[in-house]
Amino acid sequence: EMRLGRRAPEFLPSCNASILLQPKFRPALDNLIQLSLYDCGLSSLAGIELHPTNDDDNGRNITMTLFPKLEQLDIGRNPKLTNDSLPDSFHTQFPSLLELWCDDC
């Protein structure tokens, strides 16, 4: 489970947070089954669709799904997050998704 919190003492209200992940740690996301971005002050999920590509044995680029095992995603209480702030490929990034919580978005 991965939870990202944004509380007043931890971040200034006007600041944004980005999570950068080194490519060598990306395989750890393959096992993530729950992700909570609840009340993080999100206004966009731009970039969630960006993920590295790997070459197969024949030298062809193959696209990797960022969260192949993610079953639960909570993006609730992010009132600035709208349908327009989701990338077009948002729905393809979570092939195992069973629950999507998006209240007050």
Side-chain angles (χ1 to χ4, degrees), residues 32-34 67 69-73 96-100:
L32 189 66
I33 58 172
Q34 293 180 335
F67 300 107
K69 295 181 182 176
L70 192 70
E71 295 177 356
Q72 183 181 16
L73 176 61
S96 301
L97 194 66
L98 300 173
E99 295 180 33
L100 173 62

Side-chain angles (χ1 to χ4, degrees), residues 1-8 10-11 19 34-43 45 72-81 100-105:
E1 179 177 3
M2 176 186 266
R3 292 180 182 268
L4 301 176
R6 184 182 160 202
R7 296 178 186 98
E10 297 169 350
F11 295 96
I19 298 175
Q34 293 180 335
L35 175 60
S36 177
L37 301 171
Y38 186 83
D39 198 14
C40 287
L42 297 174
S43 59
L45 289 178
Q72 183 181 16
L73 176 61
D74 185 350
I75 55 174
R77 292 213 54 205
N78 288 290
K80 295 180 182 176
L81 197 60
L100 173 62
W101 296 87
C102 53
D103 61 310
D104 196 20
C105 293

Side-chain angles (χ1 to χ4, degrees), residues 9-28:
E10 297 169 350
F11 295 96
L12 295 174
S14 60
C15 293
N16 292 325
S18 294
I19 298 175
L20 301 177
L21 184 68
Q22 294 179 7
K24 66 181 180 181
F25 297 121
R26 200 227 52 86

Side-chain angles (χ1 to χ4, degrees), residues 26 51-64:
R26 200 227 52 86
H51 45 82
T53 57
N54 290 333
D55 293 332
D56 66 7
D57 294 335
N58 297 322
R60 296 175 296 192
N61 282 337
I62 55 173
T63 303
M64 303 292 290

